[in-house]
Amino acid sequence: AQSVTQLGSHVSVSEGALVLLRCNYSSSVPPYLFWYVQYPNQGLQLLLKYTSAATLVKGINGFEAEFKKSETSFHLTKPSAHMSDAAEYFCAVSRTGTASKLTFGTGTRLQVTL
Amino acid sequence: GAGVSQSPSNKVTEKGKDVELRCDPISGHTALYWYRQRLGQGLEFLIYFQGNSAPDKSGLPSDRFSAERTGESVSTLTIQRTQQEDSAVYLCASSSPGVYEQYFGPGTRLTVT
């Protein structure tokens, strides 16, 4: 069975500050890991994915995440937050990557303040 | 099409009524998924289609829930005898063969009164 834990249902940062959203996973097989972003009243958009290649993954909008097997983590970071980054972020894991259901964390709402 | 579309965008129904939710995937995407997002919670997997077959229905919460897909395209999720706990946003996603990304539609917000 696979699961994802996102620590912190709400995170608030100042504009220009570092963004760190935490994700830990549990998987009995090598996982495929994803971060999605959801803006209000919209569907989910893929930010980045880990598919067993490079452990440091760069995504859209300046976000990146590092796969750390020893810590079973896949935390999402961005060096400098923008107001437009305010949204809900979901970490997800799948068993095989393609044609496989995603198991999501409960999400972290990011607030960016002036 | 340009993206995954879902209809209706909002649906309010009375407890006990049946509802149908529709998903139009991206053209050529053979895999289609339904998820449910209840308020304040993450997304729960419901069912996965490969073509018109559903090899994984493990997430359907009860026999009141069913789904079908025709022509390797449109899918319909049907909820019979709706209950208040069915209130949620129902999201559809599709993906093309050999690709990791699932592309999500905007969802259908279902409210059962």
Side-chain angles (χ1 to χ4, degrees), chain A residues 70-109:
Chain A
S70 61
E71 299 177 7
T72 61
S73 69
F74 190 58
H75 302 330
L76 182 70
T77 60
K78 182 174 181 178
S80 177
H82 294 165
M83 296 296 290
S84 60
D85 294 328
E88 185 134 25
Y89 292 79
F90 292 94
C91 183
V93 62
S94 76
R95 185 179 178 88
T96 65
T98 61
S100 175
K101 67 182 181 185
L102 294 170
T103 300
F104 285 87
T106 52
T108 297
R109 184 167 298 279

Side-chain angles (χ1 to χ4, degrees), chain B residues 57-98:
Chain B
K57 307 179 185 179
S58 62
L60 294 178
S62 76
D63 59 8
R64 296 187 296 106
F65 287 71
S66 63
E68 65 174 13
R69 187 179 186 194
T70 57
E72 298 195 352
S73 179
V74 172
S75 176
T76 303
L77 177 69
T78 301
I79 308 173
Q80 296 179 309
R81 305 181 302 280
T82 52
Q83 304 295 313
Q84 288 188 331
E85 61 262 28
D86 300 333
S87 295
V89 176
Y90 289 82
L91 289 159
C92 175
S94 68
S95 67
S96 60

Side-chain angles (χ1 to χ4, degrees), chain A residues 12-38:
Chain A
S12 182
V13 301
S14 300
E15 190 173 36
L18 171 71
V19 176
L20 171 60
L21 304 182
R22 298 179 185 274
C23 173
N24 288 87
Y25 69 90
S26 172
S27 178
S28 57
V29 297
Y32 292 81
L33 294 158
F34 306 82
W35 275 99
Y36 281 85
V37 61
Q38 186 178 35

Side-chain angles (χ1 to χ4, degrees), chain A residues 32 34 36 38 41 43-44 46 49 51 90 96-102 104-106, chain B residues 33 35 37 41-43 45 48 50 56 58 91 98-102 104-106 109:
Chain A
Y32 292 81
F34 306 82
Y36 281 85
Q38 186 178 35
N41 299 313
L44 276 72
L46 181 68
K49 61 184 183 288
T51 57
F90 292 94
T96 65
T98 61
S100 175
K101 67 182 181 185
L102 294 170
F104 285 87
T106 52
Chain B
Y33 309 78
Y35 295 88
Q37 185 177 24
Q41 300 184 25
L43 281 77
F45 166 78
Y48 151 61
Q50 181 61 45
D56 190 349
S58 62
L91 289 159
V99 173
Y100 299 103
E101 292 94 325
Q102 294 184 20
F104 282 80
R109 183 176 298 277

